Amino acid sequence: MTSREAEEVPMRKFPDSRGHPVSRRSALGLAGVAAAGLALSGCGDDPVPQPITAPPPDGVLGANFNGDPGRVTFAELENISATWLRGFFPMPQADRGAVPEHPVIRMLTTAAAKGYGTVLSLKFPYAGEPLPTPGSPAMTTALRRLDAVLPEVLGKVDILVIGNEPFIECRPQDRVQRLNVCYETLAQHVIAYRQRNCGADCTTQLYLGALNRLDRPDWRTPATERWLDFTRDTPALSGVDIHPHLQAPGDDRRFLDYVLPRLRTDQKFLATEFSLVLLWKQHLKDPVDPRFADRYRVSRSKKVWQVVRDAIESPFPQQKWDDFLALSPWFDNHREFLRDQVDRFRETSRLAVATYGVTQDTAMVTGFGPDSMPWLFNSVFCPFVVRAGQDGLPGRTTAWAGQFRQLQTR
């Protein structure tokens, strides 16, 4: 253990995510002990588990499953001492049956009932059609979907994010005034609904989200300025979400230096997705490190993406996956990214919750090739490329799992 890993966290009292006083360390300790009673199933099938106590949204690191909770188990969350969980809900799904039974909603409300802190992002996918305008039939549909979802989550999830990645999930020609008008209309509807139905003391905080690629000047536009102006000037909003998927460590500063001065001093930020995936992508076509090639008797001309594809086709033993990453300088030189990044977020004193990818999903490995976006390197658990361990849990990226646990008590 390094000196950084051994640092002690000062004991100070917080309310938990639902307002009850508990120390941060006690809350996290309770999570690790009490969650031992949780079953290996995903949601709803656990035999009378003991509750955990989530710390408040103040510098927290949680687990993110995006839109696919099917491979996340409470046993995995307990293994890495997670106490917060995040996912997103695609709003068109509100038309397809009972909202409470949708896997994303059910996973988060089940987690909330167990004592986890929860973040739900509402995803409005309009990449193939115009964004709705106020008064249009499309906006009527969007608001009707909100009215189907909001009663199932307000007062149950801790944080509701209006939007997932709005500037990506729309047509390029809509990333100007049309986008702002659309999301301001959606946000005002959510705010009014919460006030009318959940009351002034509603426990669900509202954020607007999420902003992407702010490390690039061409993504800092009049629309992003207006986005942050609206967030700052709307008292009911607690802050904004950002998704710093980076090409290099430290590029998050461009996000934070742009966003934080534009918020009220009482507002915070979320980082419900963050990673070095753009750096990983730069190295997919590199030859595998010769040390790995020689140790595992593969051709030195084999490329990184081909090794990954081999692992997808026949999952590696844990040691082989560990060696593949440790003997790849492009990964090993940044193996402390998770800890360093969360530390930088926390140093601002403005982080509410950051969430990191807890497990791989099918989309990450389907058709994997030299030009794929290698999200699978980000995941803590790696069920598609690493064999399950003797404990019955999926294989993992060891560096991320260890740092995730350490960050719960730092």
Side-chain angles (χ1 to χ4, degrees):
M1 178 178 292
T2 68
S3 59
R4 292 184 60 189
E5 295 166 3
E7 289 175 355
E8 287 293 324
V9 179
M11 290 292 287
R12 52 192 181 104
K13 291 288 183 180
F14 297 104
D16 69 11
S17 62
R18 290 159 187 81
H20 306 294
V22 64
S23 75
R24 179 179 176 88
R25 184 183 297 168
S26 295
L28 295 166
L30 281 170
V33 174
L38 299 177
L40 299 183
S41 58
C43 55
D45 299 324
D46 298 335
V48 195
Q50 296 297 313
I52 70 168
T53 304
D58 181 15
V60 170
L61 174 64
N64 171 40
F65 63 78
N66 280 323
D68 183 5
R71 287 190 169 271
V72 181
T73 69
F74 288 107
E76 291 170 16
L77 298 178
E78 185 272 334
N79 179 267
I80 56 174
S81 303
T83 58
W84 277 74
L85 189 63
R86 179 260 180 179
F88 66 68
F89 178 77
M91 292 302 291
Q93 295 290 321
D95 298 338
R96 302 182 184 179
V99 170
E101 295 307 310
H102 188 279
V104 170
I105 303 299
R106 189 157 56 96
M107 183 64 171
L108 288 176
T109 55
T110 299
K114 297 178 188 295
Y116 285 84
T118 50
V119 182
L120 172 64
S121 300
L122 302 180
K123 179 185 178 83
F124 299 88
Y126 287 102
E129 58 187 300
L131 282 167
T133 55
S136 67
M139 182 60 77
T140 299
T141 297
L143 299 182
R144 174 178 52 77
R145 290 167 175 167
L146 276 174
D147 289 345
V149 173
L150 293 176
E152 308 303 335
V153 298
L154 287 176
K156 298 177 183 178
V157 302
D158 294 285
I159 294 174
L160 184 67
V161 186
I162 305 161
N164 180 52
E165 293 183 332
F167 287 81
I168 291 177
E169 294 161 355
C170 72
R171 303 180 308 167
Q173 61 265 41
D174 288 347
R175 294 173 190 163
V176 284
Q177 184 175 0
R178 189 170 186 134
L179 182 145
N180 294 100
V181 172
C182 175
Y183 277 88
E184 288 167 16
T185 302
L186 296 172
Q188 294 291 12
H189 187 85
V190 174
I191 291 166
Y193 189 102
R194 183 182 68 158
Q195 179 63 33
R196 189 169 60 249
N197 296 283
C198 198
D201 58 349
C202 186
T203 56
T204 300
Q205 298 180 25
L206 302 180
Y207 281 74
L208 206 58
L211 296 173
N212 299 85
R213 300 313 312 270
L214 293 179
D215 51 322
R216 289 173 42 173
D218 57 321
W219 281 69
R220 291 179 237 137
T221 67
T224 56
E225 290 277 354
R226 176 170 169 172
W227 188 271
L228 291 166
D229 288 346
F230 176 79
T231 303
R232 182 192 63 239
D233 296 338
T234 305
L237 294 176
S238 296
V240 73
D241 191 7
I242 59 174
H243 284 181
H245 292 298
L246 309 174
Q247 290 183 308
D251 283 356
D252 60 288
R253 285 302 335 171
R254 300 174 188 174
F255 280 77
L256 300 175
D257 291 346
Y258 181 80
V259 167
L260 294 184
R262 291 170 169 81
L263 297 178
R264 300 190 311 268
T265 57
D266 66 315
Q267 289 178 314
K268 293 186 177 183
F269 72 95
L270 306 171
T272 56
E273 295 183 26
F274 64 98
S275 76
L276 285 177
V277 68
L278 299 178
L279 186 153
W280 312 144
K281 184 174 173 59
Q282 293 173 1
H283 295 280
L284 283 182
K285 298 176 185 178
D286 291 358
V288 67
D289 188 276
R291 296 169 295 173
F292 177 83
D294 294 347
R295 183 174 301 178
Y296 289 97
R297 299 181 180 179
V298 300
S299 170
R300 288 191 174 197
S301 65
K302 181 163 278 194
K303 303 295 192 290
V304 167
W305 72 268
Q306 293 173 311
V307 174
V308 174
R309 189 178 60 184
D310 289 346
I312 293 168
E313 293 174 351
S314 179
F316 288 177
Q318 183 68 61
Q319 187 62 56
K320 185 174 181 180
W321 183 253
D322 289 345
D323 287 346
F324 171 54
L325 297 178
L327 296 175
S328 298
W330 51 266
F331 184 92
D332 194 57
N333 291 343
H334 305 292
R335 66 183 300 106
E336 295 194 0
F337 165 76
L338 179 56
R339 178 170 53 216
D340 293 343
Q341 184 60 74
V342 173
D343 283 348
R344 285 198 297 273
F345 285 154
R346 288 174 173 172
E347 285 167 2
T348 68
S349 300
R350 304 283 295 279
L351 173 67
V353 180
T355 59
Y356 193 72
V358 66
T359 192
Q360 295 169 343
D361 60 34
T362 304
M364 295 180 186
V365 299
T366 301
F368 194 89
D371 299 310
S372 296
M373 190 64 75
W375 300 106
L376 54 80
F377 287 127
N378 296 338
S379 303
V380 176
F381 289 99
C382 305
F384 287 96
V385 296
V386 186
R387 298 175 193 170
Q390 293 184 348
D391 58 3
L393 296 178
R396 65 212 68 187
T397 293
T398 305
W400 301 153
Q403 289 167 54
F404 194 103
R405 288 190 206 96
Q406 294 161 8
L407 286 162
Q408 303 306 307
T409 53
R410 286 170 59 91

